[in-house]
Amino acid sequence: MDYAAFHRRSLDERDAFWAEQARLIDWHVAPKRTLDYARPPFARWFVDGRTNLCHNAVDRWLNRDWGAHADRPALIYISTETGEERTYSFRALHAEVNRCAAMLLELGVGRGDRVLIYMPMIAEAAFAMLACARIGAIHSVVFGGFASHSLANRIEDAAPKVIVSADAGSRVGKVVPYKGLLDEAIRLSAHKPAKVLLVDRKLAAMPMTAGRDVRWDALAVRHEGAQVPCAWLESSEPSYILYTSGTTGRPKGVQRDTGGYAVALAASMKHIYCGNAGETYFSTSDIGWVVGHSYIIYGPLLAGMATIMYEGTPVRPDAGILWQIVEKHRVSVMFSAPTAIRVLKKQDPGYLTKYDLSSLKALWLAGEPLDEPTARWIADSLKRPIIDNYWQTETGWPILTYPMGIEDKPRKFGSPGHPMYGYDVRLLHEATGEEVAVGEKGVVAIVPPLPPGCMSTVWGDDRRFVETYFRSVPGREVYSTFDWGIRDADGCHFILGRTDDVINVAGHRLGTREIEESISSHPAIAEVAVVGVADQLKGQVPVGFAVVKDAAAVATLDGRMKLEGEVMKTVDGQLGAIARPHRVHFVSALPKTRSGKVLRRSIQAICEGRDPGDLTTIEDPAALTQLREAMAPA
Ligand code: PRX
């Protein structure tokens, strides 16, 4: 089919288009209206329709093929960390999710209550997410790599009735304890959960707080065989909150609806990822990120596919592990991040031809820019289509990509392709708000209403939703992605990095302000600026420039090294090792404008050896000289 016509129709005949897509899911009560846009920019999709994500992901598949689908795999759990591998059929997954739903009900969770999930990549995490969806509770999954301070912020904002967690995770063979960090986070948070449900993997100590902490295994035996009916939610009722970083130090709770999300994901499985019931989907992401929500848990299951939940890295026990999994489970759709591919590029290329990858339709990559050499290398090695897709936590599914299920359009390395159906994408001049010409750089913006599946608001803060996303391009009420982009004469887009202070470390989205706040909490630090600096492997790494309160502390190399180590430990303890700065340099002043604004862009340019731009407004030019010296090799 002609994709351009498909895309045009999605905008020109929006309601008819999405009403058709809505037939991809089961509705308990069909929607009365496709879109309510009476209060822009808030969009309510599939008004008065009643449905349930868990029903569509699990129950719906039990009767398919006269019941034969019930015994096909739904969740394949593989851990190269602990050596476990378990497959749950749709029937088994249904039983586990029902049991977990009964457990949550016993702990007092009701419709609309929040359940915070802070878990490693284990099957129970999937059961908990789906169980929340079943009873209409709102889950808020927090990435296991985040530490106490980050977790405490999220507990306070989401105010969960129950937290589900575990004793520990495991990374590269090393135990990563969760329970201690969780206890500390609860101590720091003004909001306290009523109950904490804990999976004991027997990897680490799990001290229990009487009256609050409950063991998963002990509660599970009491609910063996439980049947919990699905709560039929109105389409706009929230399904989940997922926190993401922006310009401020306070992460935003991206709130997602139920019906719009289910339809958007089901449509994307058909038109973008080409996944069919009975096939296997393998995403190497983590449930703590949006890719994990959309394309480990909900998307594949909504399509009746088996989904692989993988706890491990791409290089252990060897660099063939991902392809070994593809061969063994006949994976048809695979999703990963460019960093994983850059990691593999450094390994023996023999692993790429060792396994039978004939089941694989394509490899989709997202989360950070896919550089041309990496794309070319993996395409040549795998001999499979490599498909870049660009989107955000806020949108939940691709904004730009090549929609293989509609038309196999020619792909360009380095470009995530074309605007997806439902997205009216424009590139706008940052100062005038005018559309830029072909080949000119502009802010990637979306003319509202945002299509189904995108965030409905910021949790508990409608104003912040409007102010943050719809007021940043002068004179235009459009959604800003906060990414720079450019379009060529063929309509292919290229993403050129963020317009704000968000950085992307190995595909992980981090806010430099959060890292700055953490570093500033060290008693020796007076002031700090953190910038993202280009890195061959990880895309970007955070680098800090700090001014100390007492210059004597960093007068010697020993003093500098000691303080740098302490600062890194502070970040590890508060935010998690993923946010740890690659380096912290000590300087006596930060480059600022005369009005006191830190020139982060200039700092970043100097770090990357680029021209720092117009510096006529700088207050103290010596600060720049110092910065250059700090960056010079010792
Ligand atoms: O800057 C863009 C970058 O990652 C940001 C969104 O990150 P997150 O909210 O974690 O969602 C990831 C969903 C895949 C974007 O604003 N980004 C994401 N995908 C790409 C990308 N940059 C370039 N190319 C991509 N394919």
Side-chain angles (χ1 to χ4, degrees):
M1 198 196 293
D2 170 18
Y3 178 67
F6 190 85
H7 181 252
R8 212 173 311 117
R9 177 161 181 262
S10 76
L11 301 179
D12 294 348
E13 293 167 45
R14 185 181 59 210
D15 288 15
F17 177 89
W18 285 109
E20 268 164 36
Q21 304 304 316
R23 290 194 210 117
L24 292 168
I25 68 157
D26 271 1
W27 293 90
H28 185 65
V29 175
K32 290 207 180 70
R33 210 147 42 105
T34 304
L35 172 66
D36 169 5
Y37 197 50
R39 201 165 66 97
F42 298 91
R44 285 180 60 215
W45 286 98
F46 309 115
V47 186
D48 289 336
R50 292 196 172 262
T51 187
N52 181 287
L53 271 173
C54 180
H55 165 84
N56 276 286
V58 185
D59 302 46
R60 179 187 186 192
W61 299 101
L62 297 176
N63 297 323
R64 167 112 171 186
D65 282 354
W66 296 278
H69 208 69
D71 294 311
R72 295 194 185 121
L75 182 71
I76 302 169
Y77 170 63
I78 302 170
S79 173
T80 48
E81 295 288 335
T82 61
E84 285 163 280
E85 180 164 335
R86 266 194 314 276
T87 297
Y88 299 86
S89 63
F90 277 91
R91 192 193 310 283
L93 180 62
H94 182 255
E96 292 287 357
V97 171
N98 269 279
R99 180 163 68 173
C100 182
M103 290 156 64
L104 292 175
L105 289 176
E106 186 185 321
L107 295 178
V109 178
R111 185 159 166 172
D113 286 339
R114 273 79 59 215
V115 173
L116 189 140
I117 298 176
Y118 178 61
M119 290 178 95
M121 287 287 284
I122 54 176
E124 286 83 352
F127 305 157
M129 290 169 75
L130 290 162
C132 286
R134 190 168 194 86
I135 62 174
I138 302 168
H139 61 65
S140 171
V141 182
V142 177
F143 177 57
F146 283 127
S148 310
H149 185 82
S150 312
L151 184 53
N153 279 339
R154 289 154 172 83
I155 295 174
E156 217 162 87
D157 195 75
K161 195 169 238 180
V162 166
I163 296 182
V164 189
S165 189
D167 58 336
S170 176
R171 187 157 172 84
V172 202
K174 251 180 56 195
V175 171
V176 184
Y178 279 40
K179 182 59 173 36
L181 293 177
L182 173 62
D183 286 343
E184 172 63 6
I186 296 174
R187 195 186 64 75
L188 290 171
S189 162
H191 171 86
K192 313 286 177 199
K195 297 284 176 195
V196 176
L197 179 61
L198 292 153
V199 177
D200 188 2
R201 306 178 74 190
K202 306 213 161 43
L203 294 176
M206 202 172 76
M208 303 290 279
T209 298
R212 186 196 74 186
D213 295 356
V214 180
R215 290 184 65 93
W216 179 296
D217 48 8
L219 195 57
V221 285
R222 297 225 308 277
H223 293 284
E224 192 72 60
Q227 293 282 339
V228 175
C230 289
W232 299 111
L233 305 189
E234 197 281 327
S235 181
S236 304
E237 280 183 67
S239 56
Y240 68 74
I241 311 167
L242 179 57
Y243 287 87
T244 195
S245 305
T247 296
T248 68
R250 204 160 51 93
K252 289 181 288 286
V254 166
Q255 179 179 319
R256 196 91 65 206
D257 73 352
T258 297
Y261 188 50
V263 171
L265 290 186
S268 72
M269 293 305 298
K270 182 173 174 208
H271 306 312
I272 299 174
Y273 299 103
C274 310
N276 301 311
E279 298 175 357
T280 305
Y281 198 106
F282 178 22
S283 160
T284 63
S285 184
D286 187 286
I287 49 152
W289 304 109
V290 71
V291 178
H293 284 65
S294 290
Y295 298 113
I296 295 179
I297 306 295
Y298 293 113
L301 293 173
L302 285 171
M305 298 179 80
T307 185
I308 294 178
M309 230 178 136
Y310 175 58
E311 182 185 49
T313 72
V315 289
R316 254 174 53 105
D318 61 46
I321 183 65
L322 300 184
W323 318 118
Q324 191 186 328
I325 291 173
V326 170
E327 178 186 271
K328 178 167 175 192
H329 296 282
R330 305 288 304 150
V331 170
S332 67
V333 182
M334 184 167 173
F335 192 129
S336 195
T339 294
I341 306 305
R342 289 193 292 265
V343 166
L344 293 179
K345 209 168 150 190
K346 295 186 152 187
Q347 310 281 329
D348 177 358
Y351 285 116
L352 286 150
T353 46
K354 190 169 165 194
Y355 297 98
D356 173 11
L357 306 182
S358 57
S359 59
L360 205 58
K361 292 178 201 173
L363 169 63
W364 280 263
L365 298 171
E368 53 179 321
L370 172 61
D371 56 284
E372 195 181 324
T374 302
R376 205 174 284 283
W377 175 80
I378 189 71
D380 290 347
S381 314
L382 282 186
K383 304 198 167 41
R384 282 281 172 284
I386 303 300
I387 303 176
D388 191 356
N389 53 130
Y390 159 81
W391 47 293
Q392 311 181 299
T393 305
E394 288 86 344
T395 67
W397 61 283
I399 303 169
L400 299 171
T401 188
Y402 301 89
M404 287 263 281
I406 302 165
E407 184 188 349
D408 193 4
K409 284 172 92 76
R411 287 177 299 276
K412 280 189 196 170
F413 288 124
S415 163
H418 308 274
M420 282 305 92
Y421 49 90
Y423 288 102
D424 187 358
V425 176
R426 310 285 172 97
L427 299 180
L428 304 178
H429 191 281
E430 81 173 311
T432 65
E434 297 290 316
E435 277 190 59
V436 299
V438 165
E440 269 177 40
K441 176 174 156 177
V443 177
V444 181
I446 302 164
V447 178
L450 295 175
C454 292
M455 76 188 291
S456 22
T457 187
V458 171
W459 172 254
D461 203 343
D462 283 353
R463 230 183 115 92
R464 197 172 174 202
F465 173 63
V466 178
E467 297 291 322
T468 306
Y469 294 104
F470 293 90
R471 296 273 188 271
S472 78
V473 181
R476 307 273 305 238
E477 206 160 278
V478 290
Y479 170 88
S480 174
T481 61
F482 296 99
D483 279 303
W484 294 113
I486 202 164
R487 182 172 43 224
D488 70 10
D490 300 324
C492 279
H493 290 66
F494 294 80
I495 300 296
L496 309 171
R498 298 277 305 194
T499 64
D500 60 4
D501 295 318
V502 165
I503 61 171
N504 201 315
V505 182
H508 296 161
R509 174 168 164 181
L510 300 171
T512 51
R513 295 298 161 99
E514 289 162 78
I515 307 176
E516 287 175 0
E517 281 177 19
S518 176
I519 295 177
S520 298
S521 75
H522 189 286
I525 305 296
E527 204 181 5
V528 64
V530 172
V531 296
V533 177
D535 180 84
Q536 285 258 312
L537 188 65
K538 296 183 173 178
Q540 280 184 309
V541 290
V543 173
F545 292 89
V547 179
V548 290
K549 289 181 184 155
D550 174 9
V554 292
T556 63
L557 180 62
D558 262 6
R560 285 197 291 277
M561 279 171 55
K562 183 162 165 275
L563 188 55
E564 185 176 15
E566 277 180 25
V567 165
M568 289 189 180
K569 244 193 167 145
T570 306
V571 176
D572 277 8
Q574 291 186 354
L575 306 182
I578 54 161
R580 182 197 303 157
H582 181 65
R583 284 297 315 268
V584 180
H585 301 286
F586 298 104
V587 289
S588 62
L590 294 174
K592 289 183 186 168
T593 59
R594 282 184 207 110
S595 57
K597 217 173 134 255
V598 176
L599 291 160
R600 289 186 177 76
R601 297 259 161 86
S602 308
I603 301 179
Q604 187 189 35
I606 290 176
C607 292
E608 294 179 350
R610 289 183 286 113
D611 174 10
D614 178 15
L615 295 171
T616 46
T617 59
I618 196 165
E619 189 192 45
D620 174 13
L624 277 186
T625 320
Q626 258 200 59
L627 217 93
R628 285 204 179 89
E629 281 168 11
M631 290 302 295

